[in-house]
Amino acid sequence: MKFIALGAAESGVGAAILARDKGYDVFVSDMGSIKPRYKQMLDAEGIAWEEGGHTAERILQADLVVKSPGIPDTAPMVAALRERGVPVISEIEFAARYTDARMICITGSNGKTTTTSLVYHILKNKAGMDVGLAGNIGHSLALQVAREPHAAYVIELSSFQLDGMYDFRANVAVLLNITPDHLDRYGFVMQNYVNSKMRIMQNQQAGDTFIYWTGDQHIPHELSLRPTAATVLPFSDAPEAGSTGYADDGTFRLTAPVPFTMPMSRFSLPGLHNLRNGLAAAQAALAAGAPAEAVEAGLADFPGVEHRLERVATVGGVHYVNDSKATNVDACHVALEAMPAPIVLIVGGKDKGNDYADILPLVKEKCRAVVYLGADNSKLHAAFDGLGLPIADTASMADCVAACARLAHEGDTVLLSPCCASFDLFRNMEDRGEQFKERVKALG
């Protein structure tokens, strides 16, 4: 059986190693360059690889292909494989075929990294469970199944990963929200993206759990169209009919999967968005078998996630906050709500079909200035210039931070919350956040 991994980063290399362990004839191909550490891993396993292009004759002979989530279905090689009837799946789908571990899965347009990390923190550090962390958060499920198997996995799932999952079953599934994101990958049709997110509940059975936020614009309606045998646990911002988790009079309250209460003052993360993340994480952890005392302890001391409303430094009385993970408009909206005014807002990057109208009132209300950071800022000018705020146009992090320092006054918050992907100027979201932190610390 010939196995091909398209893309030689975390997921592709992990899948290739698992495939080699299971007796496949494995080949790895990447259109770009492969990082040295991944080359070393492949060489150590005796797995053949290529970079800088795809050898079509070899790839089209595959019996099974795992593709990187970053490769769109419209890529010529993927289209050619599908025309030949070759299965093209995600690394998560492939890995799940070789484990009976319980799968605790989290998706959503926003909040999924925080919620995934929080569930893992509770299960591993507080409940002492044998659990791995995997998926979009940057750890290969396949490599763990091959070399470091666990009884359960907490998995962050992007829509791109869900698109390549067919038989995979989430024992506990969390869907936080669905707001416009990655529409460039979905033909700029919101329903296509909604359908992708709803795939997290496919294949769930009696005994499984589906957790969702009732305040979302799409999920309640979509759920009404998808009958499920799973136990459904809705959570809400405040008490409402049918909700099994909510905040009430300064208290976290869950009625299911088991009764749970906790003073909200003990929760370590600020903001309404984190209240929702906490409610979802608590229900998921309890559904996964964590005792109530472990859930409370984990909610109380969770440190948060890097690049998500991360306080970097205060320089000259100006507070700098790194929210590089805010790669869509809704995430920026949440950040603006959570931060005190006045704000100097940094936006820009690779546009994904964004509609900035939703945040314009907040920007006008709370922002002192807007700084554009991108290779092409024309859409940002069209969206924000009409607000009458001071603006700065930048195409490097050095220029961006310098402009923010000029525009900000003592007591202001400089907020990097870009609304956009990072790939126009940076390697990834993490690189953008790290460069921001470095430039801010250099100011002091």
Side-chain angles (χ1 to χ4, degrees):
M1 291 278 286
K2 292 182 176 9
F3 176 98
I4 303 291
L6 289 181
E10 184 73 15
S11 63
V13 172
I17 290 172
L18 177 60
R20 168 55 59 87
D21 284 0
K22 298 303 177 183
Y24 285 87
D25 175 8
V26 180
F27 182 62
V28 177
S29 179
D30 198 306
M31 278 292 288
S33 58
I34 303 174
K35 290 182 179 178
R37 70 184 182 97
Y38 290 127
K39 290 179 181 179
Q40 291 166 9
M41 290 172 68
L42 294 170
D43 289 343
E45 299 289 336
I47 296 173
W49 53 267
E50 66 178 352
E51 62 181 345
H54 296 313
T55 303
E57 313 85 72
R58 186 165 188 177
I59 292 169
L60 293 175
Q61 293 176 14
D63 298 296
L64 178 65
V65 172
V66 164
K67 78 171 179 69
S68 162
I71 301 174
D73 289 338
T74 53
M77 188 56 65
V78 176
L81 285 162
R82 291 219 159 106
E83 282 178 16
R84 291 184 173 227
V86 178
V88 180
I89 64 174
S90 74
E91 174 239 354
I92 305 292
E93 174 82 4
F94 180 65
R97 297 177 179 180
Y98 297 101
T99 178
D100 294 324
R102 281 176 59 77
M103 302 294 185
I104 301 101
C105 302
I106 296 95
T107 196
S109 302
N110 299 296
K112 56 184 177 292
T113 298
T114 296
T115 305
T116 302
S117 301
L118 179 50
V119 173
Y120 178 71
H121 173 67
I122 293 168
L123 298 185
K124 179 177 173 59
N125 299 329
K126 303 303 175 181
M129 295 172 62
D130 176 20
V131 60
L133 180 66
N136 195 53
I137 206 160
H139 303 280
S140 167
L141 177 63
L143 186 59
Q144 291 179 71
V145 169
R147 299 297 158 83
E148 192 185 354
H150 296 283
Y153 295 94
V154 182
I155 308 172
E156 178 187 326
L157 292 174
S158 69
S159 59
F160 300 163
Q161 288 165 318
L162 286 162
D163 289 338
M165 294 162 63
Y166 302 94
D167 298 322
F168 178 91
R169 173 186 167 198
N171 301 107
V172 178
V174 177
L175 180 48
L176 295 164
N177 46 61
I178 308 176
T179 61
D181 198 6
H182 303 298
L183 294 186
D184 52 331
R185 278 277 291 260
Y186 293 97
F188 298 96
V189 177
M190 184 64 187
Q191 187 62 46
N192 293 341
Y193 177 61
V194 170
N195 293 342
S196 176
K197 286 298 190 186
M198 295 302 298
R199 290 172 71 91
I200 195 171
M201 66 182 297
Q202 68 182 2
N203 304 317
Q204 285 201 296
Q205 303 172 10
D208 296 335
T209 303
F210 178 70
I211 298 163
Y212 76 97
W213 176 49
T214 63
D216 186 79
Q217 179 182 350
H218 302 281
I219 302 170
H221 172 70
E222 293 296 325
L223 189 57
S224 72
L225 305 177
R226 293 169 165 83
T228 177
T231 298
V232 177
L233 302 180
F235 67 93
S236 52
D237 297 348
E240 63 179 49
S243 176
T244 59
Y246 48 87
D248 180 29
D249 195 24
T251 303
F252 268 95
R253 296 190 186 277
L254 304 182
T255 60
V258 297
F260 174 85
T261 61
M262 170 181 157
M264 286 168 56
S265 60
R266 293 206 64 213
F267 185 38
S268 65
L269 301 180
L272 176 60
H273 64 294
N274 278 321
L275 166 67
R276 296 167 187 160
N277 296 339
L279 288 167
Q283 287 189 305
L286 290 166
E293 57 269 23
V295 174
E296 182 166 359
L299 291 172
D301 71 357
F302 180 63
V305 174
E306 190 177 18
H307 307 300
R308 187 66 176 121
L309 291 177
E310 177 189 8
R311 297 184 184 277
V312 178
T314 299
V315 182
V318 176
H319 311 293
Y320 290 82
V321 176
N322 168 28
D323 196 38
S324 185
K325 279 190 68 66
T327 59
N328 59 52
V329 173
D330 191 63
C332 180
H333 191 289
V334 164
L336 287 167
E337 285 185 326
M339 290 292 105
I343 296 167
V344 175
L345 176 65
I346 304 167
V347 292
K350 185 178 184 298
D351 187 274
K352 300 184 287 184
N354 291 346
D355 180 357
Y356 298 102
D358 181 55
I359 62 170
L360 293 181
L362 259 181
V363 172
K364 186 170 184 178
E365 173 193 345
K366 299 191 74 171
C367 291
R368 179 184 302 283
V370 182
V371 176
Y372 307 144
L373 173 62
D376 178 2
N377 296 327
S378 55
K379 188 172 178 181
L380 300 171
H381 282 288
F384 295 100
D385 285 5
L387 296 177
L389 296 170
I391 60 139
D393 219 332
T394 69
S396 74
M397 188 59 77
D399 289 345
C400 173
V401 172
C404 291
R406 287 195 307 271
L407 290 164
H409 297 190
E410 184 174 350
D412 288 1
T413 298
V414 171
L415 174 64
L416 171 65
S417 194
C419 296
C420 301
S422 56
F423 305 119
D424 61 335
L425 297 177
F426 306 96
R427 293 193 305 274
N428 48 41
M429 169 277 295
E430 293 87 355
D431 179 43
R432 177 170 61 190
E434 291 300 333
Q435 288 197 33
F436 177 69
K437 290 192 286 186
E438 289 170 10
R439 291 292 178 178
V440 168
K441 289 170 183 175
L443 290 174

